[in-house]
Amino acid sequence: PANERDPVPDTEEIVSLRMELANVLSSIMSLPEKESQCIRLKYLFDRNNAQIAQMTGLSENSVNQYILRARKHIRSLLYGNGDDEQNG
């Protein structure tokens, strides 16, 4: 049908997605070591928290906390500092 979106992205979309991916990867690499390790295992290697805990020697609760902190830090790095809202 004519209303369906073309499944092949155009050049502008590809460039935009690559830039966004580069920014996300850069943000991940700038995180503290444990946060970076946990978030990479979770989203780049598709591991669950139990697997990450076993691989890193951390508790599942610690893994969850590192992932939550990493996501918060990445959002802050990509979209601006949201810490001011919670701290002040």
Side-chain angles (χ1 to χ4, degrees):
N3 290 343
E4 281 190 33
R5 184 171 180 221
D6 186 358
V8 179
D10 64 21
T11 304
E12 191 174 308
E13 287 177 300
I14 292 170
V15 169
S16 177
L17 290 171
R18 284 187 179 183
M19 288 174 55
E20 188 173 342
L21 178 60
N23 289 338
V24 170
L25 292 175
S26 176
S27 296
I28 289 170
M29 298 313 293
S30 74
L31 295 172
E33 183 179 346
K34 293 289 187 193
E35 289 180 23
S36 178
Q37 181 182 32
C38 290
I39 204 86
R40 283 183 285 125
L41 289 169
K42 177 84 170 177
Y43 294 106
L44 299 178
F45 295 97
D46 200 29
R47 301 290 190 247
N48 64 40
N49 289 10
Q51 292 169 321
I52 296 169
Q54 185 177 28
M55 294 170 78
T56 60
L58 298 167
S59 70
E60 282 188 59
N61 186 52
S62 292
V63 167
N64 187 54
Q65 290 301 311
Y66 281 123
I67 290 170
L68 290 173
R69 285 186 206 140
R71 290 173 58 191
K72 179 181 176 184
H73 286 142
I74 291 167
R75 267 193 305 274
S76 177
L77 289 167
L78 293 176
Y79 305 115
N81 191 346
D83 290 344
D84 293 337
E85 295 174 2
Q86 293 185 7
N87 291 334

